[in-house]
Amino acid sequence: MKIGLFGFGKAGKAVASVILQSKDHSLQWVYRKTNRLNSRDAADFFGIESNDPGHFYSEKKISIQDLLEQHPVDAIIDFSSQEGIYTYGESAAHRKVKIISAISHYSDKEVNFLHKLAQKAIVFWSPNITLGINYLLYASQFLKKIAPAVDIEIIEEHFKDKKGISGTAIRIADVLEVKDEKINTIRAGGIVGKHEVIFGFPFQTVRLIHESISRDAFGNGALFAAEHLVNKKPGFYKFEDLLHPYFKV
């Protein structure tokens, strides 16, 4: 699968590295606001031996419409910003390019825009695109169904400079139908990301914990999504849509 990447921050870099090392997928390009890396490619940047083009392109030098025309891809993976979808969304959907968004926070405006794009193309959004955290979400929902009156507390831990409540924690709270004040936030050191859901019963406690050891987990999750969206019809997809078939008895 030919892949284009939006976003080259800490997570975007990790995702690019994972794609470059994949035998089944090819990183075609990375689209950025700045043109500082335009003379290089991603494999050269990381010092990885790869046949992927992986070229850096800047919006200052080429429009997304021209980039998709000259260097077509099967999917766009987005680790950029909340507003990034407006840069490429219409052009990608028009060309039936799969949109795989891992943006932590979207307002209702962006979510509505994603659903609009999903009328033309496959659109996937996961605030946390790691496979493990989405398994935690799925398992949590099962436990909540078994014991709907159980006490629930959510703990989320991240690096000290991360601002606001994590999108993943908010997603967990929404799925389990608990209020945001049940989310306990910790900011310390260089913690990549840790989420814990505590189910408090009268005489026992169940804890479901997911911890990201490396941001490479985002890359593996993004590729899992890309592979499981093959042959899907245009529409809006969440991670649980991809996991559900594995839980059928």
Side-chain angles (χ1 to χ4, degrees):
M1 183 180 297
K2 293 182 178 180
I3 297 172
L5 177 65
F6 268 70
F8 203 63
K10 291 179 180 179
K13 287 183 175 70
V15 173
S17 177
V18 170
I19 299 172
L20 287 170
Q21 296 175 73
S22 171
K23 296 180 180 179
D24 300 320
H25 308 284
S26 173
L27 180 63
Q28 296 296 295
W29 43 258
V30 180
Y31 196 66
R32 311 176 70 226
K33 290 184 177 180
T34 178
N35 57 12
R36 284 181 297 173
L37 295 174
N38 279 17
S39 61
R40 304 178 66 183
D41 60 64
D44 173 58
F45 179 90
F46 292 111
I48 296 174
E49 289 190 13
S50 173
N51 293 322
D52 296 4
H55 297 308
F56 291 104
Y57 292 97
S58 167
E59 63 180 29
K60 296 179 180 179
K61 297 290 186 180
I62 185 172
S63 69
I64 188 61
Q65 293 86 355
D66 289 342
L67 181 60
L68 288 172
E69 186 69 30
Q70 297 172 25
H71 305 283
V73 292
D74 301 304
I76 288 176
I77 295 176
D78 186 3
F79 274 86
S80 59
S81 67
Q82 182 175 326
E83 297 77 23
I85 186 64
Y86 298 115
T87 302
Y88 68 87
E90 291 283 6
S91 298
H94 177 72
R95 292 171 173 79
K96 308 300 182 184
V97 176
K98 297 177 185 66
I99 295 172
I100 300 171
S101 173
I103 302 303
S104 296
H105 294 279
Y106 275 135
S107 69
D108 290 342
K109 179 183 176 183
E110 280 81 47
V111 174
N112 291 336
F113 185 56
L114 290 176
H115 281 279
K116 177 182 176 182
L117 298 175
Q119 296 174 12
K120 300 179 182 179
I122 293 171
V123 177
F124 172 91
W125 175 43
S126 177
N128 186 321
I129 206 165
T130 61
L131 180 59
I133 198 68
N134 285 284
Y135 174 78
L136 178 147
L137 271 167
Y138 209 97
S140 295
Q141 292 177 74
F142 273 113
L143 189 52
K144 177 68 181 293
K145 288 180 180 179
I146 295 170
V150 68
D151 295 328
I152 299 175
E153 293 285 334
I154 301 165
I155 301 173
E156 61 103 345
E157 304 176 18
H158 287 85
F159 53 94
K160 64 180 181 180
D161 293 329
K162 182 176 177 63
K163 298 178 181 179
I165 301 174
S166 82
T168 301
I170 293 173
R171 172 67 177 151
I172 294 172
D174 288 344
V175 165
L176 297 179
E177 299 179 330
V178 299
K179 297 180 179 179
D180 286 355
E181 52 259 37
K182 292 294 185 179
I183 301 174
N184 305 274
T185 297
I186 295 173
R187 296 289 177 264
I191 300 171
V192 175
K194 181 177 179 180
H195 293 84
E196 178 177 1
V197 185
I198 302 173
F199 296 88
F201 296 88
F203 305 107
Q204 59 184 325
T205 301
V206 176
R207 297 172 183 263
L208 298 179
I209 301 173
H210 174 267
E211 183 169 10
S212 293
I213 300 170
S214 166
R215 289 182 176 84
D216 285 5
F218 298 130
N220 290 333
L223 291 183
F224 177 91
E227 291 165 358
H228 285 72
L229 290 170
V230 173
N231 298 325
K232 294 285 188 183
K233 295 179 180 180
F236 183 82
Y237 296 88
K238 297 175 292 185
F239 219 115
E240 47 261 51
D241 297 321
L242 309 185
L243 290 178
H244 184 68
Y246 290 100
F247 288 84
K248 289 183 177 179
V249 179

